[in-house]
């Protein structure tokens, strides 16, 4: 396949993948990061993403799916533009992570793995994100926010909502 | 941005460049960076391994294996390429020290990996970061690119005929991938299911080649060991436990944070003086001394030195150095449930005792927390945990069973208070029951 012309990815990402498969002693080593970067751009691992990644690495789609289903960050359905991941593991739980998670649920009217109707936010309860000494902590996509209280929730949501610049339906 | 903390008892070796902008290569070099690697290049493998052995540096990933000894297991001659692998999967609940290292001192990881490579004769090092650490991966990748631009990495490091390359890698969410052989599987583009040992990675590792795998903190410590000299580094710590450790104080402590303290530092003092004591002056209920997989200690058990041997003698483990402090408002049943939920979620499912055991423990603790436990269940939980221990392919099964067994043994009374239709006396987070 001529990935230059047929790629579903942006030219930048396609170029990055070309570099990625050349970087390792074995092409297949690019698989896990490639899936994550693809998801970052497309939003989730659609059939088309799986097909192109399989093609680029030179393995079957089934093989790609078999690997992809192992990793908790990889998803097969779209999330919100801003995916809010609230850690409720021990260090965060001790410092009010469940109260924080509840407040997000109240403000967004969605539960675990829910997506708001306008597609701006999704919410997820996650395991330890490596910010235990600054608990409770969350990640919005890849950005960390730490030492939070439930009262910080409206401000965080407003901040991200402002970033969408009305580009998201109903935002 | 994670907050940096400080305490007069700290001995800043690994953290000494934190907050000084050392992610910038010129700053790192100005602060003495890459001098240790140059020295190693001049001195050669045997000298490096001797210094490492003399340092008594033990692996910071959890098991505390002596680093110099580990490196010495790599065969000198090998038909397949050898590799250095830096484990930055950092996913053990209670642990966030590698986070700070990647953020503030990424070049120490690169330099440490290079020294490991010189010691074992590897031309390539991999730095694997958990997928959630994207912003840290970008910092590390910038540092690596800067090294190539300056000739610090590449075919001729520091203008010599020695080659050393660094390849960075992102995970995509999996605790089990922190296990060394599962990490190699993941790096080879597969599911993170561990390999049967032996053969050990030092002989057959990544892509079948001899591989040294070390935790990111272990690797970041290496240049300091070389700069100070192995013996001087060893002298900072306690017997058979060289140097310092990045202890992460979290939970119900007044001043949580990552503190660099000498190995063997007293745990009680760590909580009450370094951490400022229990939050709000409340009573201490329990301490999880080394990440969520280590057995809980009671307040009367914490007058111990924090090194691998002393914590082991006290019936727990130093683990990842994540000290989680629980005050008297904590429901132990809930805490045990949250812990087992994690291990159940992360089990790779290969062995039955781990896959089924974590699931059953989760089910019975869930029922318990909701108030539907029976007296018999208490013994059953202990029995289940006991039957998982030592019966799995990798230590995750133990990591799930050990803390659970300790909670039941040390807080049996609290489990009894949850019996026969009596919901949690602390009335906390009942929604956990449906997760
Ligand atoms: C389930 C499991 C998860 C682990 N996670 C990590 C981890 O996130 N980081 C790490 O350095 N070691 C982790 N380890 C330990 C590694 O297997 C390995 O022992 C370690 O990276 C060796 O480095 P060290 O000798 O420097 O400690 C884990 C082990 C197990 C069994
Ligand atoms: S102990 Fe658990 S995580 Fe480890 S190999 Fe067995 S099933 Fe997988
Ligand atoms: S427990 Fe929440 S970040 Fe570690």
């Amino acid at each position: 396949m001529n990935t230059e012309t047929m790629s579903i990815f942006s030219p930048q990402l396609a170029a990055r993948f070309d570099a990625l498969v050349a970087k390792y002693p074995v092409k297949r080593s690019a698989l896990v990061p490639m899936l994550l970067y693809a998801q970052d751009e497309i939003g989730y691992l659609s059939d088309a993403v799986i097909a192109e990644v399989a093609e680029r690495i030179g393995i079957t789609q089934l093989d790609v799916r078999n690997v992809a289903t192992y990793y908790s960050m990889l998803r097969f359905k779209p999330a919100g533009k801003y995916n809010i991941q609230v850690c409720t593991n021990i260090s965060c739980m001790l410092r009010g992570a469940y109260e924080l998670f509840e407040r997000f649920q109240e403000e967004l009217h969605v539960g675990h793995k829910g997506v708001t109707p306008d597609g701006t936010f999704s919410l997820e309860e996650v395991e330890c994100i490596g910010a235990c000494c600054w608990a409770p902590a969350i990640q919005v996509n890849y950005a960390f926010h730490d030492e939070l209280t439930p009262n910080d929730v409206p401000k965080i949501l407003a901040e991200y909502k402002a970033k969408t610049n009305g580009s998201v339906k109903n935002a | 941005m994670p907050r940096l903390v400080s305490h007069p008892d700290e001995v800043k070796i690994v953290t000494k460049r934190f907050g000084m902008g050392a992610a910038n290569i010129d700053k790192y070099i100005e602060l003495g960076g890459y001098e240790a690697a140059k020295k190693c290049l001049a001195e050669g493998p045997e000298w490096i391994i001797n210094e490492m052995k003399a340092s008594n540096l033990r692996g910071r990933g959890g098991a505390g294996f002596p680093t110099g000894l580990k490196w010495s297991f790599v065969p000198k001659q090998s038909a397949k390429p050898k590799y250095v692998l830096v484990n930055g999967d950092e996913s053990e609940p209670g642990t966030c020290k590698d986070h700070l290292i990647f953020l503030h001192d990424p070049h120490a990881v690169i330099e440490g990996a290079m020294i490991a490579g010189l010691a074992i004769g590897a031309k390539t090092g991999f730095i694997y970061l958990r997928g959630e650490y994207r912003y840290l991966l970008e910092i590390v990748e910038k540092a690596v690119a800067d090294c190539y631009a300056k000739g610090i990495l590449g075919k001729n490091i520091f203008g010599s005929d020695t080659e050393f390359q660094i390849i960075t890698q992102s995970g995509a969410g999996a605790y089990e991938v922190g296990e060394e052989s599962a990490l190699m599987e993941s790096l080879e583009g597969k599911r993170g299911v561990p390999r049967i040992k032996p053969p050990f990675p030092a002989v057959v590792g990544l892509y079948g080649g001899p591989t040294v795998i070390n935790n990111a903190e272990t690797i970041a410590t290496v240049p300091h060991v070389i700069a100070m000299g192995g013996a001087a580094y060893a002298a900072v710590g306690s017997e058979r436990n060289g140097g310092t450790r990045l202890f992460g104080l979290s939970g119900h402590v007044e001043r949580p944070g990552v503190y660099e303290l000498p190995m063997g530092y007293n745990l009680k003092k760590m909580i009450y003086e370094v951490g400022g004591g229990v939050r709000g002056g409340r009573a201490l209920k329990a301490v999880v001394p080394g990440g969520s997989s280590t057995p809980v200690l009671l307040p009367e058990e914490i007058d111990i030195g924090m090194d691998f041997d002393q914590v082991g003698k006290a019936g727990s483990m130093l683990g990842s150095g994540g000290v989680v402090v629980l005050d008297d408002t904590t429901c132990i049943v809930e805490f045990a449930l949250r812990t087992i939920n994690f291990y159940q979620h992360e089990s790779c499912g290969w062995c039955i005792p781990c896959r089924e055991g974590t699931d059953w423990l989760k089910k019975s603790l869930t029922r318990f927390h909701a108030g539907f436990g029976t007296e018999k269940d208490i013994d059953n939980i202990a029995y289940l945990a006991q039957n998982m221990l030592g019966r799995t392919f990798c230590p995750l099964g133990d990591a799930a069973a050990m803390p659970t067994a300790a909670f039941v043994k040390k807080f049996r009374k609290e489990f009894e208070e949850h019996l026969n239709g009596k919901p949690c006396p602390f009335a906390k987070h009942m929604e956990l029951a449906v997760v």
Side-chain angles (χ1 to χ4, degrees):
Chain A
M1 163 171 101
N2 181 347
T3 42
E4 292 304 321
T5 51
M6 292 181 59
S7 179
I8 60 161
F9 303 121
S10 65
Q12 296 90 316
L13 192 60
R16 190 170 182 189
F17 286 167
D18 290 339
L20 205 60
V21 286
K23 166 169 132 170
Y24 307 92
V26 167
K27 226 174 167 186
R28 189 178 172 135
S29 285
L31 179 55
V32 175
M34 201 188 264
L35 287 169
L36 192 58
Y37 298 144
Q39 173 173 291
D40 291 340
E41 182 169 288
I42 308 286
Y44 69 107
L45 302 182
S46 63
D47 291 348
V49 168
I50 304 243
E52 185 171 332
V53 168
E55 183 83 44
R56 281 175 175 273
I57 308 255
I59 57 178
T60 65
Q61 294 187 30
L62 186 66
D63 212 352
V64 173
R65 280 182 200 280
N66 184 34
V67 173
T69 49
Y70 178 86
Y71 295 91
S72 65
M73 289 173 75
L74 301 177
R75 55 177 177 258
F76 299 87
K77 281 195 308 227
K81 184 167 191 231
Y82 298 109
N83 186 32
I84 298 171
Q85 302 141 80
V86 182
C87 169
T88 60
N89 214 308
I90 52 174
S91 302
C92 289
M93 176 176 90
L94 293 176
R95 294 183 83 93
Y98 277 101
E99 289 73 8
L100 191 63
F101 185 54
E102 260 164 45
R103 184 67 186 266
F104 273 113
Q105 288 180 301
E106 279 164 25
E107 296 286 333
L108 294 172
H109 306 290
V110 295
H112 175 55
K113 297 225 168 177
V115 186
T116 58
D118 65 0
T120 308
F121 293 107
S122 49
L123 183 64
E124 220 182 312
E125 177 184 357
V126 296
E127 299 296 358
C128 176
I129 50 177
C132 328
C133 292
W134 318 293
I138 67 166
Q139 276 190 290
V140 182
N141 297 345
Y142 290 104
F144 281 87
H145 297 262
D146 48 36
E147 301 190 329
L148 298 176
T149 70
N151 289 335
D152 296 322
V153 169
K155 202 177 107 250
I156 292 171
L157 292 178
E159 211 176 278
Y160 282 98
K161 203 149 197 159
K163 278 199 208 182
T164 64
N165 288 333
S167 63
V168 170
K169 173 166 66 107
N170 306 330
Chain B
M1 190 83 146
R3 200 158 43 85
L4 287 177
V5 288
S6 210
H7 187 271
D9 281 5
E10 277 187 287
V11 177
K12 298 207 184 231
I13 296 173
V14 176
T15 59
K16 76 174 180 200
R17 289 184 286 250
F18 282 16
M20 296 174 79
N24 176 294
I25 191 165
D26 295 321
K27 189 74 193 175
Y28 184 75
I29 290 169
E30 184 194 315
L31 294 168
Y34 291 111
E35 287 306 316
K38 282 189 210 158
K39 180 157 192 189
C40 289
L41 190 59
E43 299 281 357
E46 229 163 281
W47 179 86
I48 303 172
I49 290 183
N50 282 337
E51 288 301 313
M52 291 307 297
K53 282 186 174 164
S55 74
N56 282 342
L57 173 64
R58 293 170 67 170
R60 306 308 194 217
F65 196 84
T67 307
L69 189 61
K70 184 186 269 192
W71 293 6
S72 73
F73 291 156
V74 175
K76 288 210 168 48
Q77 302 300 328
S78 166
K80 292 200 170 179
K82 304 178 202 178
Y83 299 104
V84 173
L85 179 44
V86 181
N87 189 342
D89 193 55
E90 187 158 74
S91 308
E92 168 94 347
T95 318
C96 53
K97 65 201 174 57
D98 301 342
H99 186 146
L100 289 183
I101 293 172
F102 293 129
L103 176 61
H104 290 283
D105 210 6
H107 285 285
V109 180
I110 297 170
E111 188 174 3
M114 186 187 291
I115 294 170
L118 293 171
I120 66 161
K123 291 194 175 73
T124 310
F126 288 86
I127 303 178
Y128 185 110
L129 267 69
R130 60 179 302 182
E132 292 85 349
Y133 282 180
R134 174 66 60 82
Y135 90 106
L136 300 172
L137 182 67
E138 284 166 1
I139 291 170
V140 173
E141 288 183 338
K142 165 84 170 63
V144 168
D146 290 346
C147 285
Y148 277 107
K150 276 199 177 341
I152 292 174
L153 287 171
K155 287 250 183 248
N156 307 92
I157 61 172
F158 307 111
S160 70
D161 338 323
T162 305
E163 175 181 358
F164 196 71
Q165 315 274 353
I166 290 268
I167 299 177
T168 52
Q169 178 81 338
S170 167
Y175 168 71
E176 173 59 9
V177 157
E179 195 279 335
E180 52 192 25
S181 63
L183 185 58
M184 293 171 192
E185 289 286 301
S186 175
L187 235 169
E188 292 179 14
K190 302 177 203 148
R191 291 171 76 90
V193 176
R195 299 171 179 172
I196 294 191
K197 288 174 250 180
F200 289 97
V203 184
V204 182
L206 192 60
Y207 308 118
T211 304
V212 149
I213 173 161
N214 277 120
N215 169 255
E217 181 188 350
T218 313
I219 289 290
T221 306
V222 169
H224 300 289
V225 168
I226 298 299
M228 293 171 74
Y233 179 81
V236 176
S238 54
E239 208 186 323
R240 286 191 308 278
N241 287 265
T244 56
R245 189 145 200 208
L246 272 60
F247 290 102
L249 272 174
S250 72
H252 294 145
V253 69
E254 201 61 66
R255 287 194 298 271
V258 175
Y259 297 91
E260 182 171 12
L261 295 160
M263 285 293 242
Y265 194 88
N266 184 278
L267 176 56
K268 194 168 183 176
K269 211 170 151 195
M270 194 185 296
I271 293 168
Y272 284 97
E273 290 178 28
V274 179
V278 179
R279 189 171 65 163
R282 296 204 66 99
L284 180 68
K285 182 166 191 169
V287 181
V288 176
S292 62
S293 64
T294 60
V296 65
L297 296 173
L298 296 170
E300 59 269 28
E301 295 172 320
I302 63 164
D303 197 1
I304 53 169
M306 287 291 272
D307 66 29
F308 289 103
D309 304 318
Q310 296 181 66
V311 182
K313 228 160 71 199
S316 188
M317 292 184 313
L318 192 63
S320 66
V323 178
V324 188
V325 176
L326 284 61
D327 76 10
D328 59 355
T329 64
T330 316
C331 169
I332 292 292
V333 177
E334 179 196 50
F335 193 86
L337 170 59
R338 187 62 188 86
T339 304
I340 203 66
N341 279 357
F342 170 70
Y343 290 101
Q344 189 270 343
H345 182 255
E346 302 297 329
S347 167
C348 83
W350 186 19
C351 4
I352 297 165
C354 173
R355 184 183 65 222
E356 298 296 316
T358 51
D359 202 51
W360 277 106
L361 285 175
K362 175 179 169 172
K363 281 191 182 119
S364 36
L365 283 169
T366 302
R367 205 168 52 207
F368 235 96
H369 188 50
F372 302 108
T374 66
E375 183 80 39
K376 215 172 122 234
D377 283 338
I378 304 180
D379 294 322
N380 257 341
I381 292 171
Y383 175 78
L384 257 170
Q386 208 54 44
N387 277 295
M388 290 162 67
L389 285 172
R391 290 186 167 84
T392 52
F393 290 123
C394 94
L396 190 141
D398 287 356
M402 282 181 311
T404 314
F407 287 130
V408 174
K409 186 165 156 237
K410 294 185 178 176
F411 289 95
R412 192 178 173 103
K413 191 170 152 284
E414 200 155 314
F415 281 81
E416 285 167 355
E417 282 163 10
H418 281 72
L419 286 179
N420 306 324
K422 284 180 292 187
C424 179
F426 296 85
K428 289 232 277 231
H429 311 144
M430 300 311 295
E431 71 273 22
L432 259 175
V434 293
V435 166

